[in-house]
């Protein structure tokens, strides 16, 4: 939602100031300049992309305009879920949670946390590594190394749309210059025309440079930055799970393992110790009813 608000501020600040200074918006209405710049940028992007990267970009743009799902409420549910799983495993043995991780949608523990259950990425990450922990065939160091590789792969894949948009943002001013140069060439070819006509042609040529810079730094680059932020948030939630599970695997009890996970979160979304403790207590009370 903030990106839409930011776009509106950019739009009204730039064009509103232009009108307030006595400019005419009609002078900026150059659809073919926009087609030249936007089409060239889109063509360059498609030439350097694959079907997979395009689908990732469409998905990333769709999520960028929504509020981030990785907030304090989600982290409290996540840590409460991990506590419930680890506590059951500690109390009844690791095999006691096998049915929960094999079919999370039918598990009483997982269904108590619907926000987490709807996130396939989190469910797969938790279940895959708890399944490995149940097998008992890998050391904590080996599991940590595997987690790091998976998180790194996920981050690289999710960074493809943001990297592509950053490249497009870098290229847009250059395409604006291309449009301006073509406009100047057109103006010079009409050098025999009256000064008023030449001035009009040159002003239209300058619109190309203006549009390229505005699109790059006012619209495309901020969108890439938002997608980057969402990617970092997705990585952080996996790091929270990683630290919690590894702490438990190294012998720490569930309450302390969950505290390890809480500590790696960004301060803006990190629940306090008291908030998390109260949430876990309420979740346990609801589960025992």
């Amino acid at each position: 939602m903030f990106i839409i608000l930011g776009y509106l501020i950019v739009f009204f600040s730039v064009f509103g100031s232009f009108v307030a200074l006595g400019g005419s918006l009609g002078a900026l209405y150059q659809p073919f300049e926009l087609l030249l710049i936007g089409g060239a940028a889109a063509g360059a992007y498609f030439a350097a992309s694959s079907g997979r990267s395009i689908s990732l970009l469409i998905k990333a743009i769709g999520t960028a305009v929504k509020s981030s799902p990785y907030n304090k409420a989600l982290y409290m549910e996540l840590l409460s879920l991990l506590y419930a799983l680890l506590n059951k495993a500690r109390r009844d043995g690791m095999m006691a949670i096998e049915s929960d991780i094999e079919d999370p949608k039918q598990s009483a523990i997982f269904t108590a946390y619907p926000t987490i259950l709807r996130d396939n990425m989190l469910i797969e990450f938790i279940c895959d590594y708890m399944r490995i922990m149940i097998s008992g065939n890998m050391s904590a160091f080996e599991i940590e190394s595997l987690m790091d590789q998976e998180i790194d792969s996920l981050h690289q894949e999710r960074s493809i749309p943001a990297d592509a948009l950053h490249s497009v943002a870098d290229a847009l001013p250059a395409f604006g210059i291309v449009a301006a140069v073509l406009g100047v060439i057109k103006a010079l070819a009409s050098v025999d025309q009256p000064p008023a006509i030449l001035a009009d042609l040159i002003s239209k040529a300058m619109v190309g440079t203006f549009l390229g810079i505005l699109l790059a730094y006012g619209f495309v680059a901020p969108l890439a930055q938002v997608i980057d932020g969402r990617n970092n948030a997705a990585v952080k939630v996996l790091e929270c799970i990683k630290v919690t599970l590894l702490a438990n695997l190294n012998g720490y009890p569930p309450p302390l393992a969950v505290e390890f996970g809480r500590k790696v979160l960004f301060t803006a979304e990190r629940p306090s110790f008291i908030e998390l403790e109260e949430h876990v207590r309420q979740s346990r009370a609801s589960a025992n009813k």
Side-chain angles (χ1 to χ4, degrees), residues 185-194 197-198 201:
I185 292 172
K186 180 182 176 183
L188 292 176
S190 305
V191 70
D192 58 335
Q193 298 296 318
I197 295 178
L198 286 175
L201 292 174

Coordinates of all heavy atoms in Angstrom, one line a residue, residues 185-194 197-198 201:
I185 N 17.1 14.7 -33.9 CA 17.3 14.4 -35.3 C 16.2 14.8 -36.1 O 16.3 15.4 -37.2 CB 17.6 12.8 -35.5 CG1 18.9 12.4 -34.8 CG2 17.6 12.5 -37.0 CD1 19.2 11.0 -34.8
K186 N 15.0 14.5 -35.6 CA 13.8 15.0 -36.3 C 13.7 16.5 -36.4 O 13.4 17.1 -37.5 CB 12.5 14.4 -35.6 CG 11.2 14.9 -36.3 CD 10.0 14.4 -35.5 CE 8.7 14.8 -36.1 NZ 7.5 14.4 -35.3
A187 N 14.1 17.2 -35.3 CA 14.1 18.7 -35.3 C 15.1 19.2 -36.3 O 14.8 20.2 -37.1 CB 14.3 19.2 -33.9
L188 N 16.3 18.6 -36.4 CA 17.3 19.1 -37.3 C 17.0 18.8 -38.7 O 17.4 19.6 -39.6 CB 18.7 18.4 -37.0 CG 19.3 18.8 -35.6 CD1 20.6 18.0 -35.4 CD2 19.6 20.3 -35.6
A189 N 16.2 17.8 -39.0 CA 15.7 17.5 -40.3 C 14.7 18.5 -40.8 O 14.4 18.6 -42.0 CB 15.1 16.1 -40.4
S190 N 14.1 19.3 -39.8 CA 13.1 20.3 -40.1 C 13.7 21.7 -39.9 O 13.0 22.6 -39.5 CB 11.9 20.1 -39.3 OG 11.4 18.8 -39.4
V191 N 15.0 21.9 -40.2 CA 15.7 23.1 -39.9 C 15.1 24.3 -40.7 O 15.3 25.4 -40.4 CB 17.2 23.0 -40.0 CG1 17.6 22.8 -41.5 CG2 17.9 24.1 -39.4
D192 N 14.5 23.9 -41.8 CA 13.9 25.0 -42.7 C 12.6 25.5 -42.2 O 12.0 26.4 -42.8 CB 13.8 24.4 -44.1 CG 12.9 23.2 -44.2 OD1 12.8 22.5 -43.2 OD2 12.3 22.9 -45.3
Q193 N 12.1 24.9 -41.1 CA 10.8 25.4 -40.6 C 11.0 26.6 -39.7 O 12.1 26.9 -39.3 CB 10.2 24.2 -39.7 CG 9.9 23.0 -40.5 CD 8.9 23.1 -41.6 OE1 7.8 23.8 -41.4 NE2 9.1 22.6 -42.8
P194 N 9.9 27.3 -39.5 CA 9.9 28.5 -38.6 C 10.4 28.2 -37.2 O 10.3 27.0 -36.8 CB 8.5 29.0 -38.6 CG 7.9 28.4 -39.9 CD 8.5 27.1 -40.1
I197 N 8.1 26.3 -34.8 CA 7.9 24.8 -35.0 C 9.2 24.1 -34.5 O 9.1 23.0 -33.9 CB 7.7 24.6 -36.5 CG1 6.3 25.2 -37.0 CG2 7.7 23.1 -36.8 CD1 6.0 25.0 -38.4
L198 N 10.3 24.6 -34.8 CA 11.6 24.0 -34.3 C 11.6 23.9 -32.8 O 12.0 22.9 -32.2 CB 12.8 24.8 -34.8 CG 13.2 24.6 -36.3 CD1 14.3 25.6 -36.6 CD2 13.5 23.2 -36.6
L201 N 9.4 21.1 -31.7 CA 10.0 19.8 -31.9 C 11.1 19.5 -30.9 O 11.3 18.3 -30.4 CB 10.6 19.7 -33.3 CG 9.6 19.7 -34.5 CD1 10.3 19.8 -35.8 CD2 8.7 18.5 -34.5

